[in-house]
Amino acid sequence: MLIATPNICLDITVRVPRLVPGAVLRATGTETTAGGKGVNVARAARAHGVAGVLTGFLPREDGDRFATLLGREGTAFLPVPVDGVLRVVTIFLPDDGQVTVVNGRGPEIDAAHWSRFVDGVRAALAGQDVLVCSGSLPPGVPVEAYGELTRLGHEAGVPVVVDGAPPVLRAALPTGPDLVSPNLSEAEGMLFGRVDEDVNETGDDVPDRAVTAARELRRAGAVRAVVTAGGSGAALATADGVWWLPSPTVHLVSPIGAGDSFAAGAGIALARGDADVDVVRLGMATASASCETAVAGILDGARALELFEQIEAEPR
Ligand SMILES: O=P(O)(O)OC[C@@]1(O)O[C@H](CO)[C@@H](O)[C@@H]1O
């Protein structure tokens, strides 16, 4: 599994009893880990015994810290060095579980650096069984970035999973990514211009809405379109049909990194050539298992396989 995650960072998880805007808070614990969505993908893949190779822009300032932390986890890294400072993502984890995330922007990237990144991905694709494009783009990287990488993957005969912000995902759709998996609010915002930060992912209409969005994403170019709706479930649309898969019940600790864990599980199944519904079942099971731990992408692989057995696909 090759994981392209241009905008790596340090994830600083800060535990506080309560998150109170305007107050001075004292942390009860902090944890610093290598971050960026692709790092979480690599962690979740490792829980299934799959070693991912990660590529990303490595800023000269503080970049060593990232490389050291990632190295300790055992993930192979192909850095593209750039000037600038490593961004920080702060994850506030209060006791009530209402997680707040502040994402740093990332270093300025110019055309020469982006073309070096693309060349690196092209070279690294040899011998890989799946490419996962994951996370935000640092400033200066073209919005078509994941579309360009999707074409590269296809030229190399490698299936491609695209998990990016809505504008980046939209730009990639015409290149035919093998799997996309936005959540319901991202998908509806992108497809129907519905911008609702508090989008309800638990109402009775959620399966129908997710199914509608998945169908639209497939029409726009995705080979397999999944629309996830947190604890409710996920919709899948392919050329062969449309399904709704209810989520298994889990003990929620933190949802951060669930989408990345989905991409890891689904990417593994896609690389193996599993049936489309099983691709989504493994993605959901991996995401659900990751919700039972505090650190993004950390999960128990055996627990994910147990959850896999509980997920059923209902044709629509
Ligand atoms: O700025 P991006 O790339 O969108 O998001 C980065 C990030 O907030 O997403 C992960 C959770 O999905 C965090 O571990 C990580 O640092």
Side-chain angles (χ1 to χ4, degrees):
M1 174 181 288
L2 177 64
I3 305 159
T5 200
N7 214 4
I8 60 167
C9 59
L10 285 183
D11 271 7
I12 303 189
T13 303
V14 182
R15 287 168 196 274
V16 285
R18 281 195 317 140
L19 196 54
V20 187
V24 175
L25 304 172
R26 198 163 292 275
T28 52
T30 56
E31 195 164 346
T32 303
T33 51
K37 292 190 189 298
V39 173
N40 303 336
V41 174
R43 268 185 209 130
R46 194 168 325 103
H48 286 296
V50 171
V53 177
L54 187 88
T55 182
F57 289 111
L58 186 69
R60 290 187 217 289
E61 214 169 304
D62 299 338
D64 291 357
R65 180 110 164 89
F66 173 90
T68 304
L69 288 169
L70 188 73
R72 273 187 210 148
E73 295 187 24
T75 296
F77 184 38
L78 304 172
V80 179
V82 290
D83 289 336
V85 185
L86 183 69
R87 72 178 178 134
V88 168
V89 167
T90 312
I91 301 166
F92 293 98
L93 199 55
D95 290 346
D96 67 5
Q98 299 263 42
V99 185
T100 299
V101 180
V102 182
N103 285 315
R105 251 165 76 78
E108 283 292 335
I109 302 300
D110 62 22
H113 285 127
W114 174 242
S115 114
R116 216 167 294 153
F117 190 97
V118 171
D119 289 346
V121 169
R122 187 183 290 110
L125 274 166
Q128 292 292 339
D129 53 8
V130 63
L131 168 64
V132 180
C133 303
S134 173
S136 63
L137 303 176
V141 173
V143 73
E144 298 82 12
Y146 287 167
E148 194 172 352
L149 299 186
T150 300
R151 282 200 202 91
L152 284 188
H154 289 166
E155 277 163 29
V158 171
V160 182
V161 177
V162 172
D163 183 19
V168 178
L169 177 57
R170 190 195 345 250
L173 286 173
T175 64
D178 299 273
L179 181 83
V180 298
S181 54
N183 64 38
L184 185 57
S185 86
E186 289 169 335
E188 288 188 333
M190 184 178 119
L191 294 164
F192 315 123
R194 185 175 154 169
V195 182
D196 180 358
E197 293 293 319
D198 293 324
V199 69
N200 184 352
E201 292 188 342
T202 55
D204 288 348
D205 61 344
V206 162
D208 286 344
R209 284 166 46 205
V211 160
T212 302
R215 280 202 174 102
E216 285 302 316
L217 288 168
R218 207 192 71 75
R219 258 184 227 130
V223 176
R224 296 166 193 78
V226 178
V227 173
T228 62
S232 295
L236 164 68
T238 74
D240 300 325
V242 180
W243 294 264
W244 170 251
L245 298 93
S247 291
T249 304
V250 294
H251 170 64
L252 180 68
V253 176
S254 168
I256 302 301
D260 315 331
S261 302
F262 181 97
I268 289 169
L270 194 61
R272 291 197 299 237
D274 289 3
D276 290 337
V277 291
D278 289 343
V279 168
V280 181
R281 288 172 72 209
L282 193 61
M284 289 176 72
T286 308
S288 302
S290 85
C291 289
E292 295 186 328
T293 74
V295 177
I298 294 287
L299 61 108
D300 177 355
R303 172 69 174 144
L305 296 182
E306 190 182 305
L307 293 168
F308 176 89
E309 295 301 332
Q310 297 172 21
I311 300 169
E312 288 181 3
E314 303 164 358
R316 286 283 168 147

CSV table of all heavy atoms in Angstrom, one decimal, residues 5 7-12 33-38 40 43 87-91 101-105 134-137 163 165 255-260 296-297, ligand 1:
chain,number,residue,atom,x,y,z
A,5,THR,N,0.3,11.4,1.2
A,5,THR,CA,-0.3,12.3,2.2
A,5,THR,C,0.5,13.6,2.2
A,5,THR,O,1.5,13.7,3.0
A,5,THR,CB,-0.6,11.7,3.5
A,5,THR,OG1,-1.6,12.4,4.2
A,5,THR,CG2,0.6,11.5,4.4
A,7,ASN,N,0.3,16.6,3.2
A,7,ASN,CA,0.3,17.6,4.3
A,7,ASN,C,0.5,16.9,5.6
A,7,ASN,O,-0.4,16.8,6.5
A,7,ASN,CB,-1.0,18.4,4.2
A,7,ASN,CG,-0.8,19.8,4.7
A,7,ASN,OD1,0.3,20.2,5.0
A,7,ASN,ND2,-1.9,20.5,4.8
A,8,ILE,N,1.7,16.3,5.8
A,8,ILE,CA,1.9,15.7,7.1
A,8,ILE,C,2.0,16.7,8.2
A,8,ILE,O,2.1,17.9,8.0
A,8,ILE,CB,3.3,14.9,7.1
A,8,ILE,CG1,4.4,15.8,6.7
A,8,ILE,CG2,3.2,13.7,6.1
A,8,ILE,CD1,5.8,15.3,6.9
A,9,CYS,N,2.0,16.3,9.5
A,9,CYS,CA,2.0,17.2,10.6
A,9,CYS,C,2.4,16.5,11.9
A,9,CYS,O,2.6,15.3,11.9
A,9,CYS,CB,0.6,17.8,10.8
A,9,CYS,SG,-0.7,16.5,11.1
A,10,LEU,N,2.4,17.2,13.0
A,10,LEU,CA,2.4,16.6,14.3
A,10,LEU,C,1.0,16.7,14.8
A,10,LEU,O,0.4,17.8,14.8
A,10,LEU,CB,3.3,17.4,15.2
A,10,LEU,CG,4.8,17.2,15.1
A,10,LEU,CD1,5.5,18.0,16.2
A,10,LEU,CD2,5.3,15.8,15.1
A,11,ASP,N,0.5,15.6,15.3
A,11,ASP,CA,-0.8,15.6,16.0
A,11,ASP,C,-0.6,15.8,17.5
A,11,ASP,O,0.1,14.9,18.0
A,11,ASP,CB,-1.6,14.3,15.8
A,11,ASP,CG,-2.4,14.2,14.5
A,11,ASP,OD1,-2.4,15.1,13.7
A,11,ASP,OD2,-3.1,13.2,14.4
A,12,ILE,N,-1.1,16.8,18.1
A,12,ILE,CA,-1.0,16.9,19.5
A,12,ILE,C,-2.3,16.7,20.1
A,12,ILE,O,-3.3,17.5,19.9
A,12,ILE,CB,-0.4,18.3,19.9
A,12,ILE,CG1,1.0,18.5,19.2
A,12,ILE,CG2,-0.2,18.4,21.4
A,12,ILE,CD1,1.8,19.7,19.6
A,33,THR,N,2.1,12.7,18.4
A,33,THR,CA,2.3,11.6,17.4
A,33,THR,C,2.6,12.2,16.0
A,33,THR,O,2.2,13.4,15.8
A,33,THR,CB,1.1,10.7,17.4
A,33,THR,OG1,-0.1,11.5,17.1
A,33,THR,CG2,0.9,9.9,18.6
A,34,ALA,N,3.2,11.4,15.2
A,34,ALA,CA,3.3,11.8,13.8
A,34,ALA,C,1.8,11.8,13.3
A,34,ALA,O,1.0,11.0,13.7
A,34,ALA,CB,4.1,10.8,13.0
A,35,GLY,N,1.5,12.9,12.5
A,35,GLY,CA,0.1,13.0,12.1
A,35,GLY,C,0.0,13.3,10.6
A,35,GLY,O,1.0,13.4,9.8
A,36,GLY,N,-1.3,13.6,10.2
A,36,GLY,CA,-1.6,13.7,8.8
A,36,GLY,C,-2.5,12.4,8.5
A,36,GLY,O,-2.2,11.4,9.1
A,37,LYS,N,-3.5,12.6,7.7
A,37,LYS,CA,-4.4,11.5,7.6
A,37,LYS,C,-3.8,10.2,7.1
A,37,LYS,O,-4.1,9.1,7.6
A,37,LYS,CB,-5.6,11.9,6.6
A,37,LYS,CG,-6.5,12.9,7.2
A,37,LYS,CD,-7.7,13.1,6.4
A,37,LYS,CE,-8.5,14.4,6.8
A,37,LYS,NZ,-9.0,14.3,8.2
A,38,GLY,N,-2.8,10.3,6.2
A,38,GLY,CA,-2.1,9.1,5.7
A,38,GLY,C,-1.3,8.4,6.8
A,38,GLY,O,-1.2,7.1,6.7
A,40,ASN,N,-2.4,8.0,9.8
A,40,ASN,CA,-3.4,7.1,10.4
A,40,ASN,C,-3.8,5.9,9.5
A,40,ASN,O,-4.1,4.8,10.0
A,40,ASN,CB,-4.7,8.0,10.7
A,40,ASN,CG,-4.4,9.2,11.5
A,40,ASN,OD1,-3.4,9.2,12.3
A,40,ASN,ND2,-5.2,10.2,11.5
A,43,ARG,N,-1.2,3.4,10.1
A,43,ARG,CA,-1.3,2.7,11.4
A,43,ARG,C,-2.5,1.7,11.3
A,43,ARG,O,-2.3,0.5,11.8
A,43,ARG,CB,-1.8,3.7,12.4
A,43,ARG,CG,-0.7,4.3,13.2
A,43,ARG,CD,-1.2,5.2,14.3
A,43,ARG,NE,-0.2,6.3,14.4
A,43,ARG,CZ,-0.4,7.6,14.5
A,43,ARG,NH1,-1.6,8.0,14.4
A,43,ARG,NH2,0.6,8.4,14.6
A,87,ARG,N,3.6,21.7,10.1
A,87,ARG,CA,2.4,22.1,10.8
A,87,ARG,C,2.0,21.3,12.0
A,87,ARG,O,2.4,20.1,12.1
A,87,ARG,CB,1.2,22.2,9.7
A,87,ARG,CG,0.7,20.8,9.4
A,87,ARG,CD,-0.5,20.9,8.4
A,87,ARG,NE,-0.9,19.6,8.0
A,87,ARG,CZ,-2.1,19.2,8.0
A,87,ARG,NH1,-3.1,20.0,8.3
A,87,ARG,NH2,-2.4,17.9,7.7
A,88,VAL,N,1.2,21.9,12.8
A,88,VAL,CA,0.7,21.2,14.0
A,88,VAL,C,-0.8,21.1,13.9
A,88,VAL,O,-1.5,22.0,13.5
A,88,VAL,CB,1.1,22.0,15.2
A,88,VAL,CG1,0.4,21.4,16.5
A,88,VAL,CG2,2.6,21.9,15.4
A,89,VAL,N,-1.3,19.9,14.3
A,89,VAL,CA,-2.8,19.7,14.4
A,89,VAL,C,-3.1,19.5,15.9
A,89,VAL,O,-2.4,18.6,16.5
A,89,VAL,CB,-3.3,18.6,13.5
A,89,VAL,CG1,-4.7,18.2,13.9
A,89,VAL,CG2,-3.2,18.9,12.1
A,90,THR,N,-3.9,20.3,16.5
A,90,THR,CA,-4.2,20.1,17.9
A,90,THR,C,-5.6,19.5,18.0
A,90,THR,O,-6.6,19.9,17.4
A,90,THR,CB,-4.2,21.5,18.6
A,90,THR,OG1,-3.0,22.1,18.2
A,90,THR,CG2,-4.2,21.3,20.1
A,91,ILE,N,-5.7,18.4,18.8
A,91,ILE,CA,-6.9,17.6,19.0
A,91,ILE,C,-7.3,17.7,20.5
A,91,ILE,O,-6.6,17.2,21.3
A,91,ILE,CB,-6.7,16.1,18.6
A,91,ILE,CG1,-6.3,16.1,17.1
A,91,ILE,CG2,-8.0,15.3,18.8
A,91,ILE,CD1,-5.7,14.7,16.6
A,101,VAL,N,-10.9,19.8,16.8
A,101,VAL,CA,-9.6,19.7,16.1
A,101,VAL,C,-9.3,21.0,15.4
A,101,VAL,O,-10.2,21.7,14.8
A,101,VAL,CB,-9.7,18.6,14.9
A,101,VAL,CG1,-8.4,18.5,14.2
A,101,VAL,CG2,-10.1,17.3,15.5
A,102,VAL,N,-8.0,21.5,15.6
A,102,VAL,CA,-7.6,22.7,14.9
A,102,VAL,C,-6.4,22.2,14.0
A,102,VAL,O,-5.4,21.8,14.4
A,102,VAL,CB,-7.0,23.7,15.9
A,102,VAL,CG1,-6.6,25.0,15.2
A,102,VAL,CG2,-8.1,24.1,17.0
A,103,ASN,N,-6.7,22.3,12.7
A,103,ASN,CA,-5.7,21.9,11.7
A,103,ASN,C,-4.8,23.0,11.2
A,103,ASN,O,-5.3,24.1,10.7
A,103,ASN,CB,-6.5,21.4,10.4
A,103,ASN,CG,-7.1,20.0,10.6
A,103,ASN,OD1,-6.5,19.1,11.2
A,103,ASN,ND2,-8.3,19.9,10.2
A,104,GLY,N,-3.5,22.9,11.4
A,104,GLY,CA,-2.6,23.9,10.8
A,104,GLY,C,-2.6,23.8,9.3
A,104,GLY,O,-3.1,22.8,8.7
A,105,ARG,N,-2.0,24.9,8.7
A,105,ARG,CA,-2.1,25.0,7.2
A,105,ARG,C,-1.1,24.1,6.5
A,105,ARG,O,-1.4,23.5,5.5
A,105,ARG,CB,-1.9,26.4,6.8
A,105,ARG,CG,-3.2,27.1,6.3
A,105,ARG,CD,-2.9,28.6,6.3
A,105,ARG,NE,-2.1,29.1,5.2
A,105,ARG,CZ,-2.5,29.2,3.9
A,105,ARG,NH1,-3.8,28.9,3.6
A,105,ARG,NH2,-1.7,29.7,3.0
A,134,SER,N,-4.5,10.7,0.6
A,134,SER,CA,-5.2,10.9,1.9
A,134,SER,C,-4.9,12.3,2.5
A,134,SER,O,-3.7,12.6,2.6
A,134,SER,CB,-4.8,9.8,2.8
A,134,SER,OG,-5.3,10.0,4.1
A,135,GLY,N,-5.9,13.1,2.8
A,135,GLY,CA,-5.7,14.3,3.6
A,135,GLY,C,-5.7,15.6,2.8
A,135,GLY,O,-5.8,15.6,1.6
A,136,SER,N,-5.5,16.7,3.5
A,136,SER,CA,-5.6,18.0,2.9
A,136,SER,C,-4.3,18.2,2.1
A,136,SER,O,-3.3,17.5,2.2
A,136,SER,CB,-5.7,19.1,4.0
A,136,SER,OG,-4.5,19.0,4.8
A,137,LEU,N,-4.4,19.3,1.2
A,137,LEU,CA,-3.2,19.7,0.4
A,137,LEU,C,-2.6,20.9,1.1
A,137,LEU,O,-3.3,21.8,1.4
A,137,LEU,CB,-3.7,20.0,-1.0
A,137,LEU,CG,-4.4,18.9,-1.7
A,137,LEU,CD1,-4.8,19.3,-3.1
A,137,LEU,CD2,-3.5,17.6,-1.9
A,163,ASP,N,-9.3,10.1,-0.7
A,163,ASP,CA,-9.9,10.6,0.5
A,163,ASP,C,-9.4,12.0,0.8
A,163,ASP,O,-8.5,12.2,1.5
A,163,ASP,CB,-9.7,9.7,1.7
A,163,ASP,CG,-10.4,10.1,2.9
A,163,ASP,OD1,-11.4,10.9,2.8
A,163,ASP,OD2,-10.0,9.7,4.0
A,165,ALA,N,-10.4,16.6,0.8
A,165,ALA,CA,-11.4,17.6,1.1
A,165,ALA,C,-12.3,17.7,-0.2
A,165,ALA,O,-11.9,17.4,-1.3
A,165,ALA,CB,-10.8,18.9,1.4
A,255,PRO,N,-13.8,9.6,17.6
A,255,PRO,CA,-14.0,9.3,16.2
A,255,PRO,C,-12.9,9.8,15.3
A,255,PRO,O,-12.9,9.6,14.1
A,255,PRO,CB,-15.3,10.1,15.9
A,255,PRO,CG,-15.2,11.3,16.8
A,255,PRO,CD,-14.5,10.8,18.1
A,256,ILE,N,-11.9,10.5,15.9
A,256,ILE,CA,-10.8,11.1,15.0
A,256,ILE,C,-10.0,10.0,14.4
A,256,ILE,O,-9.6,9.1,15.1
A,256,ILE,CB,-9.9,12.0,15.9
A,256,ILE,CG1,-10.7,13.1,16.5
A,256,ILE,CG2,-8.8,12.6,15.0
A,256,ILE,CD1,-11.5,14.0,15.6
A,257,GLY,N,-9.9,10.0,13.1
A,257,GLY,CA,-9.2,9.0,12.4
A,257,GLY,C,-10.0,7.9,11.8
A,257,GLY,O,-9.5,7.0,11.2
A,258,ALA,N,-11.3,7.9,12.1
A,258,ALA,CA,-12.2,6.8,11.6
A,258,ALA,C,-12.2,6.8,10.1
A,258,ALA,O,-12.2,5.7,9.5
A,258,ALA,CB,-13.6,7.0,12.2
A,259,GLY,N,-12.3,8.0,9.5
A,259,GLY,CA,-12.3,8.0,8.0
A,259,GLY,C,-11.0,7.5,7.4
A,259,GLY,O,-11.0,6.8,6.4
A,260,ASP,N,-9.9,7.8,8.1
A,260,ASP,CA,-8.6,7.3,7.6
A,260,ASP,C,-8.6,5.8,7.8
A,260,ASP,O,-8.0,5.0,6.9
A,260,ASP,CB,-7.5,7.9,8.4
A,260,ASP,CG,-7.7,9.4,8.6
A,260,ASP,OD1,-8.4,10.0,7.7
A,260,ASP,OD2,-7.3,10.0,9.6
A,296,ALA,N,-5.7,8.4,16.9
A,296,ALA,CA,-6.2,8.2,15.5
A,296,ALA,C,-5.4,7.1,14.8
A,296,ALA,O,-4.2,7.1,14.8
A,296,ALA,CB,-6.0,9.5,14.7
A,297,GLY,N,-6.2,6.1,14.2
A,297,GLY,CA,-5.5,5.1,13.5
A,297,GLY,C,-5.1,3.9,14.3
A,297,GLY,O,-4.8,2.8,13.7
B,1,LIG,O1,-5.6,18.8,7.6
B,1,LIG,P1,-6.1,17.4,7.2
B,1,LIG,O2,-5.1,16.7,6.4
B,1,LIG,O3,-7.4,17.4,6.6
B,1,LIG,O4,-6.3,16.6,8.6
B,1,LIG,C1,-5.3,16.2,9.4
B,1,LIG,C2,-5.9,15.5,10.6
B,1,LIG,O5,-6.6,16.4,11.4
B,1,LIG,O6,-6.8,14.5,10.3
B,1,LIG,C3,-6.6,13.4,11.1
B,1,LIG,C4,-7.9,12.7,11.4
B,1,LIG,O7,-8.5,12.3,10.3
B,1,LIG,C5,-5.7,13.8,12.2
B,1,LIG,O8,-5.0,12.8,12.9
B,1,LIG,C6,-4.8,14.7,11.4
B,1,LIG,O9,-3.8,15.4,11.9
